[in-house]
Amino acid sequence: MSVTPGVRPRTRRDPKKSPWRYVAIAVILFLALSLADVALTNPNFGWSVVGQYLFSAVILNGLLLTLELTALVMIIGSVLGVLLAIMRTSSNAFVARSAWAYVWFFRGTPLLIQVIFWFNIAALFPEIELAVPFGPTLVGFDANALITPWTAAVLALSLNEGAYMAEIVRGGLLGVDRGQYEAAQALGMRPNKVFQIIMPQAVRTIIPPTANQLVTTFKNTALVSVIGLADLLHSAQVVYALNYQTIPLLIVAAFWYLLLTSLLSYVQALLERKYSKGYAPRSRPQARTESVVAKSAVAKEV
Amino acid sequence: METPMIVLNGIQKWFDSVHVLKGVDYSVARGSVSCLIGPSGSGKSTLLRCINGLQPADEGEVWVDGDLIGLRIDGDHLIPLPEKEVADQRRQIGMVFQRFNLFPHMTALENVMSGPLRVNRAQKAQTRELAMGLLDRVGLAERGDHYPNELSGGQQQRVAIARALAMKPKVMLFDEPTSALDPELVNEVLSVMRDLAAEGMTMIVVTHEMGFAREVADHVCFMDGGVIVEEGHPDAVLANPQTARAREFLSKADEQ
């Protein structure tokens, strides 16, 4: 039978399916079922304990503190990061090198050490003073009173975050075409206005790694449990120190970490779409005019 | 005699150890169109960038409408101005780039408004009106709400011209404005530039379009190896070049 080209309705093309895929599915299903079996039948998982503590006040308060800490660290870290990134691109070599040294130091030492260090800063400086170098003291504080677990955690995580954000922001700024700087300068924009033109373009490349960084920071806050700050992990630890239900309470903590990181990934996808404006072609360039025509047609009918 | 709009005195420029401009003296009369032609690497674009200080000259002076660009005179010394003040000087010098360099995250209209809003702190309503007028002037009144990636190369370049004009510059610099365009889009850009010339804008155009130079330019400069080899009225330079180097370049350009 001959077929006239173009008249035949378009056929769907099925991709070739390998028989091995059924084997793979079978193996994975088997493993998943075994896991589920173990999780449900082994009483040591203590699911009733998990249910009992999942929404308990002590855990939710810990979660709240973890969220507050993450938000604060992210804000301070981002501001610090932008500042350091601008310093890295400075024509002043001393300023650029200082920023480099900062990033080098804070990325090169374990975050856990930084957390413990800041908590114990009183051992190094019993008195913290604001003073003119070699000159008079302006204000003085007792370090033990100033450095609570909370301030130590914020300090350690923010300073570390700043180093990572600096690299992310710098990558974004370097990714913007040289011609964009020139075009802004040629219009007579001063450096701060040029920055206002460049930054939104850099943000597009900055967002995906920043969102990853946010997820990492959110999980890294668990490190502050070592200095006794009542975050999500530490709250779980406090409970299992009393009732010895270690695994169920770790499951409770992991559940909240996983839920929040999933939410953050979703927000990341939304942000990426928002900042792709002007890069990806709009799905239907004529959509606006069409809908206007459609609306006016409807209006006439009414 | 009226002073020229642009005067260049002994411009020299090095990129590391490469001597790109080897002492260029040049002046452009008010309201005239000057075309810079020559082989690639001859220093034409660099010279253009020296004029608005995007790549400041290492030696020599640039004067635009009586202002010394990028420098301040202190006794016998010339001292570089801070970037802020050079930026202020650039307002009067419009520039159009080979690769358009429109801001991709702004619509055509926002691109045209970007200069006046950010530099002059102009009123938004007034600026919008001005920008609409300019888009209309370059034949793109209907395209104001399109993003650059939704426009053709020729349309993008016309938006770029409108964006530069929004600052009401005294001078317009064009850096190979049609070199990145498909051949059938070249004319729509040249025609906008022709109109601009007819309205009396002082223009310097780095170009490979000999037809445009012949028809529109008041003055043509042939550059090679970082110096001006030959300059004069287009009829003289283009039709009857005096130097062997210019003759060779122009005979090859005509073949294309």
Side-chain angles (χ1 to χ4, degrees), chain B residues 1-254:
Chain B
M1 197 188 112
E2 205 184 23
T3 54
M5 180 64 100
I6 299 173
V7 178
L8 307 183
N9 280 335
I11 300 295
Q12 303 213 39
K13 176 83 186 163
W14 283 264
F15 287 135
D16 293 324
S17 60
V18 185
H19 204 176
V20 206
L21 294 173
K22 301 172 182 167
V24 176
D25 299 306
Y26 184 42
S27 70
V28 178
R30 274 162 210 280
S32 76
V33 178
S34 183
C35 282
L36 288 177
I37 60 170
S40 12
S42 57
K44 314 180 296 280
S45 292
T46 308
L47 187 65
L48 213 57
R49 275 149 205 271
C50 285
I51 295 174
N52 67 355
L54 280 186
Q55 285 170 342
D58 295 317
E59 266 176 47
E61 297 157 20
V62 177
W63 297 83
V64 175
D65 197 24
D67 287 338
L68 183 57
I69 302 297
L71 298 168
R72 126 183 111 77
I73 302 171
D74 186 9
D76 309 340
H77 297 278
L78 290 175
I79 295 162
L81 286 173
E83 177 58 25
K84 261 187 192 175
E85 289 175 41
V86 188
D88 293 350
Q89 288 182 327
R90 285 194 195 108
R91 295 177 197 181
Q92 49 179 340
I93 309 170
M95 186 162 191
V96 174
F97 300 86
Q98 182 177 354
R99 285 174 54 241
F100 330 132
N101 295 349
L102 290 179
F103 305 132
H105 58 304
M106 300 182 186
T107 63
L109 188 67
E110 288 166 349
N111 263 282
V112 180
M113 293 167 68
S114 65
L117 283 185
R118 275 161 216 277
V119 177
N120 299 343
R121 294 164 181 250
Q123 296 288 319
K124 198 155 190 183
Q126 277 176 347
T127 309
R128 176 175 285 272
E129 212 167 296
L130 167 81
M132 295 285 249
L134 285 167
L135 281 179
D136 189 37
R137 192 164 148 195
V138 299
L140 291 170
E142 308 297 313
R143 303 281 166 161
D145 60 351
H146 283 60
Y147 285 97
N149 71 340
E150 299 168 339
L151 300 172
S152 74
Q155 291 170 334
Q156 288 189 53
Q157 194 59 300
R158 286 187 279 154
V159 173
I161 294 173
R163 179 176 68 176
L165 289 175
M167 295 302 296
K168 303 195 169 99
K170 295 173 181 167
V171 176
M172 284 284 280
L173 310 175
F174 293 84
D175 188 6
E176 302 199 24
T178 58
S179 297
L181 295 177
D182 291 339
E184 71 265 27
L185 302 177
V186 167
N187 261 322
E188 63 186 59
V189 172
L190 290 184
S191 114
V192 167
M193 291 167 61
R194 224 172 267 132
D195 293 347
L196 206 53
E199 287 161 25
M201 175 63 78
T202 308
M203 293 161 57
I204 301 185
V205 185
V206 172
T207 187
H208 294 295
E209 296 289 331
M210 296 307 154
F212 177 82
R214 201 169 290 131
E215 179 198 348
V216 181
D218 303 295
H219 190 89
V220 170
C221 242
F222 173 73
M223 282 187 75
D224 189 27
V227 291
I228 293 175
V229 176
E230 194 168 339
E231 62 177 312
H233 194 269
D235 290 345
V237 177
L238 296 177
N240 188 18
Q242 299 300 305
T243 57
R245 189 69 194 88
R247 265 200 297 280
E248 188 195 340
F249 175 80
L250 287 165
S251 68
K252 279 181 186 154
D254 278 343

